[in-house]
Amino acid sequence: MPFDATTTAEQVVADMNLSGKTIVVTGASAGLGLETARVLAKAGALVVMCGRDAEKNKRAAAAIRAEAKGAEVETETFDLADLASVRAAAARIAKAHPKIDVLINNAGFVGGPLVYTAEGCEKHFGANHIGPFLFTNLLVPAVKAAAPSRIVVLSSNGHRVPVFDFDDLRFEKRPYAHWTAYAQSKRANVFFATALAKRLKPLDVTVNVLNPGVIRTEVFRDVTPEEEKMVTDYSETNGSPVKSIAQGAATQVWAAVGPDLAGVTGKFLEDCQIARIDESPMSASGVLPEALDPDSAERMWTLSEQIVGQRFAW
């Protein structure tokens, strides 16, 4: 039976044996990241669970070990908005795991006032894009060493909102709104995955980006209940029902280990399928073609390298 929007992460890995695989998951202490780590560890993978809060990471890992005796899970604590923290964590992970079969960039947030990172990035752009950009690139040698291997990048339907402005990523020329900042960071995720897929294809490393759907998780912790309802109502009204956490994690698990995606790269995924192209900016599903624009992806790559102060080539 083909997978769809109702498929759960457990169903994706049913009958799989992932023993011997090392998988790194960011944002793994709650929500989609925790569910992703749980099902992959239960299937036999060694999962490195990354998050900002050490105690929360430990509790999440302990819960997985309690459920699945013998599950191999490790924790790593760092903040994607803090590039010094990202560099240190990537170095520790690469030293402990010189071969990484899958990297899943799951972490993300929305909400809060206008705040800048130490590098001068608006925080949504910094934590949702620049942090994962640096973390991923620093781990590419380990991912390359495990080829054929995979990198998974989470975006959202927010990538469709027509607010991306290369000339005002810091909100110096327009009013700040956290939903605008979030949508901008989600478009950046697609640009990043598009540019990275092109670079890593000759190395037998695939890179795909996805929309997990609308799921009630901690991603909404910094917005009002009314705002959360606005998002869920819009999704429901436009034909994309709100998913459970088990369903929401399915597409990233499919991207990480699904056998039918072997060798498939540079795609936008949704509902455990390759997403359709949809030109309507406010559609509740599909990928906006502008988000896959290779010139914009290259511009984003160059800018991101400038921000982190490092060029990457393998």
Side-chain angles (χ1 to χ4, degrees):
M1 184 176 70
F3 296 150
D4 59 22
T6 66
T7 300
T8 67
E10 289 265 18
Q11 290 171 327
V12 171
V13 298
D15 302 321
M16 284 191 189
N17 182 352
L18 301 179
S19 298
K21 291 191 177 294
T22 298
I23 301 178
V24 177
V25 184
T26 67
S29 63
L32 301 186
L34 176 55
E35 177 67 1
T36 296
R38 185 185 73 84
V39 300
L40 293 173
K42 283 185 65 178
L46 186 161
V47 181
V48 181
M49 302 174 63
C50 305
R52 291 183 301 156
D53 185 319
E55 289 305 314
K56 194 173 180 182
N57 291 344
K58 290 177 183 177
R59 290 194 298 270
I64 292 175
R65 293 190 190 103
E67 178 183 350
K69 303 303 181 184
E72 292 187 272
V73 290
E74 301 175 3
T75 62
E76 183 61 60
T77 303
F78 63 99
D79 185 347
L80 284 164
D82 178 349
L83 296 192
S85 172
V86 171
R87 289 183 186 279
R92 291 190 297 268
I93 293 170
K95 183 177 180 180
H97 303 288
K99 290 187 177 182
I100 296 172
D101 296 277
V102 184
L103 167 60
I104 304 175
N105 286 299
N106 164 84
F109 87 102
V110 61
L114 177 59
V115 175
Y116 295 106
T117 67
E119 292 70 36
C121 297
E122 183 279 320
K123 190 174 179 181
H124 288 82
F125 184 76
N128 289 351
H129 166 62
I130 292 297
F133 173 88
L134 178 61
F135 184 64
T136 299
N137 278 300
L138 292 173
L139 289 181
V140 162
V143 177
K144 172 186 169 184
S149 46
R150 305 184 187 189
I151 294 172
V152 180
V153 179
L154 263 70
S155 179
S156 81
N157 196 53
H159 84 276
R160 306 186 61 84
V161 183
V163 296
F164 193 88
D165 187 348
F166 271 110
D167 298 318
D168 192 28
L169 295 173
R170 287 170 43 86
F171 289 88
E172 296 172 310
K173 303 174 184 177
R174 53 184 165 156
Y176 170 79
H178 55 249
W179 285 111
T180 300
Y182 172 76
Q184 190 161 257
S185 72
K186 294 292 100 180
R187 177 76 66 90
N189 292 152
V190 187
F191 289 153
F192 168 46
T194 299
L196 186 63
K198 182 184 77 171
R199 285 163 170 78
L200 297 186
K201 186 174 182 179
L203 305 180
D204 205 11
V205 178
T206 63
V207 184
N208 292 299
V209 60
L210 63 94
N211 169 26
V214 175
I215 308 99
R216 292 183 175 91
T217 69
E218 288 187 6
V219 74
F220 290 116
R221 63 184 175 272
D222 294 322
V223 303
T224 66
E226 292 76 18
E227 288 178 294
E228 179 177 349
K229 186 175 187 301
M230 173 193 71
V231 173
T232 56
D233 284 355
Y234 179 85
S235 185
E236 294 275 7
T237 300
N238 286 277
S240 294
V242 173
K243 295 182 179 181
S244 68
I245 289 176
Q247 293 168 335
T251 301
Q252 62 205 61
V253 171
W254 180 63
V257 299
D260 42 351
L261 284 179
V264 176
T265 194
K267 301 298 184 182
F268 191 99
L269 311 177
E270 185 176 61
D271 297 338
C272 293
Q273 301 288 330
I274 296 175
R276 62 187 174 81
I277 302 292
D278 191 316
E279 296 184 357
S280 172
M282 301 310 293
S283 175
S285 61
V287 58
L288 195 69
E290 292 95 310
L292 301 174
D293 175 60
D295 292 335
S296 296
E298 287 305 311
R299 185 177 179 184
M300 185 84 272
W301 183 275
T302 299
L303 176 62
S304 301
E305 286 187 324
Q306 291 170 352
I307 290 170
V308 303
Q310 187 172 349
R311 297 190 66 182
F312 298 98
W314 306 279

